[in-house]
């Protein structure tokens, strides 16, 4: 399998467009655009899947994984499976709703087999009982957990950083399961600081999770800011929509509302509070996830321009 990595553009943003009243020199902000690396499989999910695909292919097994009905991870798995000839099974939380939403319809068209678990069963999806049911239905499979975070994922995520990113003082990103943050913690330079902005409410389990995933103790080069979840996972308000629209208007960079808008709002708030010094160079990781906006626009009827 030819799984070479595309080059990820690093785009510098003029922060004065957003901080007109700022009375000091602003730090430098650049965006690591993993959202534009591929038409189909962009964002952090590609890096998390990369070595899981290799493993599934080597063992000649389908990938079975889990997600909600609008999941970026489900979308990426279906697309990657089609592209690299690995069969995929998506175990979806809740009942089937017809017609399928855009995420699931596309996944199905790409050959993913969809299977629905009740919310109760889904909560216990890794329990022996549920896994036995799945095995009797689908036979052997390579299991990738919900959100795609496992050891193989960390290996792929580390490849998001390169010579292009070593000059930055800070790396900032949105965290969901913490898998991407864990990979970046391992890959960053010692002197680089990593800022994780969890998009789930009550995510103080995040440092422990990252410690588990990386199998190393965390030093103070990683910091977590828990106040930018905007009410919890996938909760959207008008401030977020306005932020994403304004950012898109001024930079032409689209943001997804569930992860990158929240994290960038958090970063802008830290900049506003003079958390950074004027000489700091900040790299914000655009983790992709734009397919999710389509679902939100239809489901919540919001006026989102990107
Ligand atoms: C899944 C996802 C994340 C979170 O990644 P984790 O590895 O689960 O922390 C961040 N941004 C986007 C756009 C995502 O789809």
């Amino acid at each position: 399998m030819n799984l070479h990595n595309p080059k990820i553009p690093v785009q510098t943003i003029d922060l004065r467009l957003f901080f007109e009243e700022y009375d000091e020199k602003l730090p430098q902000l650049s965006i690591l655009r993993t959202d534009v690396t591929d038409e189909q499989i962009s964002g952090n999910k590609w890096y998390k899947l990369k070595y899981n695909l290799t493993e599934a292919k080597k063992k000649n097994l389908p990938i079975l994984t889990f997600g909600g009905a609008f999941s970026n991870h489900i979308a990426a798995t279906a697309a990657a499976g089609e592209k690299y000839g690995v069969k995929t099974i998506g175990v979806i939380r809740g009942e089937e709703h017809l017609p399928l939403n855009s995420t699931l319809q596309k996944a199905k068209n790409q050959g993913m087999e969809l299977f629905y678990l009740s919310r109760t069963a889904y909560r216990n999806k890794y329990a022996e009982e549920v896994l036995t049911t799945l095995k009797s239905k689908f036979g052997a499979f390579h299991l990738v957990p919900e959100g795609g975070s496992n050891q193989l994922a960390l290996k792929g995520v580390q490849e998001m950083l390169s010579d292009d990113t070593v000059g930055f003082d800070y790396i900032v990103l949105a965290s969901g399961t913490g898998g991407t943050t864990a990979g970046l913690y391992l890959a960053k330079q010692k002197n680089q600081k990593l800022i994780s902005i969890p998009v789930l409410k009550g995510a103080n389990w995040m440092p422990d999770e990252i410690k588990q995933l990386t199998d190393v103790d965390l030093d103070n080069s990683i910091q977590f800011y828990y106040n930018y979840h905007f009410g919890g996972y996938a909760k959207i308000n008008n401030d977020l929509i306005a932020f994403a629209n304004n950012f898109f208007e001024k930079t032409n960079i689209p943001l997804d509302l569930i992860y990158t808008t929240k994290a960038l709002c958090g970063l802008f708030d830290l900049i506003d509070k003079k958390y950074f010094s004027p000489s700091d160079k900040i790299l914000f990781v655009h983790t992709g996830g734009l397919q999710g906006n389509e679902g939100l626009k239809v489901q919540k009827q919001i006026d989102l321009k990107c």
Side-chain angles (χ1 to χ4, degrees):
M1 258 201 295
N2 176 14
L3 293 175
H4 79 272
N5 291 326
K7 188 157 174 67
I8 313 177
V10 176
Q11 184 176 344
T12 300
I13 298 299
D14 183 1
L15 273 181
R16 279 170 307 182
L17 294 171
F18 301 94
F19 294 89
E20 286 162 9
E21 321 260 286
Y22 204 80
D23 52 11
E24 275 178 37
K25 186 173 171 287
L26 283 152
Q28 183 197 305
L29 175 64
S30 300
I31 316 276
L32 187 66
R33 303 270 329 254
T34 76
D35 60 311
V36 294
T37 49
D38 186 279
E39 291 263 315
Q40 296 288 332
I41 3 177
S42 65
N44 62 336
K45 297 302 186 290
W46 158 246
Y47 293 88
K48 296 173 86 170
L49 277 168
K50 182 175 173 182
Y51 292 103
N52 281 293
L53 280 168
T54 319
E55 185 72 9
K57 190 115 184 165
K58 194 169 85 193
K59 292 191 182 148
N60 199 19
L61 292 176
I63 287 180
L64 179 142
T65 193
F66 303 85
F70 295 95
S71 163
N72 293 330
H73 168 64
I74 289 290
T77 306
E82 179 181 57
K83 182 161 175 184
Y84 294 101
V86 173
K87 189 178 155 32
T88 57
I89 301 155
V91 180
I92 309 300
R93 181 182 61 232
E95 269 112 60
E96 180 181 44
H97 293 285
L98 295 174
L100 294 176
N101 72 40
S102 57
T103 304
L104 295 182
Q105 186 60 55
K106 195 160 178 203
K108 191 175 176 188
N109 295 348
Q110 287 164 325
M112 178 177 263
E113 186 163 352
L114 300 175
F115 182 76
Y116 296 84
L117 274 186
S118 73
R119 283 170 192 268
T120 321
Y122 193 88
R123 229 169 280 136
N124 304 315
K125 55 189 166 302
Y126 307 123
E128 213 37 60
E129 197 189 323
V130 177
L131 291 178
T132 307
T133 310
L134 293 172
K135 274 178 202 147
S136 63
K137 180 154 176 64
F138 298 109
F141 48 75
H142 174 66
L143 187 150
V144 175
E146 178 176 42
S149 293
N150 57 13
Q151 294 306 318
L152 291 169
L154 260 62
K155 184 175 168 190
V157 164
Q158 293 184 61
E159 298 175 1
M160 287 167 75
L161 299 186
S162 70
D163 288 350
D164 296 346
T165 64
V166 295
F168 289 90
D169 303 295
Y170 286 88
I171 300 170
V172 183
L173 81 159
S175 302
T177 63
T180 308
T181 311
L184 295 184
Y185 184 72
L186 294 176
K188 75 178 185 65
Q189 305 292 305
K190 282 260 172 305
N191 64 325
Q192 288 182 311
K193 299 198 177 77
L194 188 60
I195 294 183
S196 153
I197 302 186
V199 300
L200 284 81
K201 195 168 161 178
N204 5 35
W205 45 265
M206 190 68 74
D208 277 338
E209 177 66 16
I210 290 169
K211 198 174 152 202
Q212 283 247 311
L213 284 165
T214 55
D215 206 20
V216 299
D217 285 329
L218 304 185
D219 61 29
N220 62 12
S221 71
I222 180 167
Q223 299 289 334
F224 299 86
Y225 290 91
Y226 298 105
N227 295 331
Y228 302 110
H229 57 69
F230 289 81
Y233 185 74
K235 296 274 191 290
I236 305 302
N237 68 19
N238 288 334
D239 291 346
L240 282 172
I241 297 166
F243 184 95
N245 283 341
N246 182 45
F247 192 76
F248 183 60
E249 193 183 305
K250 289 186 169 146
T251 64
N252 220 19
I253 300 177
L255 299 171
D256 86 295
L257 288 178
I258 295 176
Y259 295 97
T260 49
T261 302
K262 290 183 181 181
L264 202 56
C265 271
L267 174 58
F268 274 28
D269 189 49
L270 293 174
I271 292 171
D272 204 38
K273 291 178 170 148
K274 308 236 158 85
Y275 180 93
F276 302 98
S277 75
S279 61
D280 281 336
K281 289 183 173 181
I282 308 163
L283 183 68
F284 179 79
V285 183
H286 192 318
T287 38
L290 294 167
Q291 70 88 30
N293 284 355
E294 293 315 308
L296 282 173
K297 279 188 234 177
V298 174
Q299 202 192 10
K300 309 206 175 182
Q301 312 219 320
I302 53 179
D303 183 22
L304 184 64
K305 312 257 188 289
C306 53

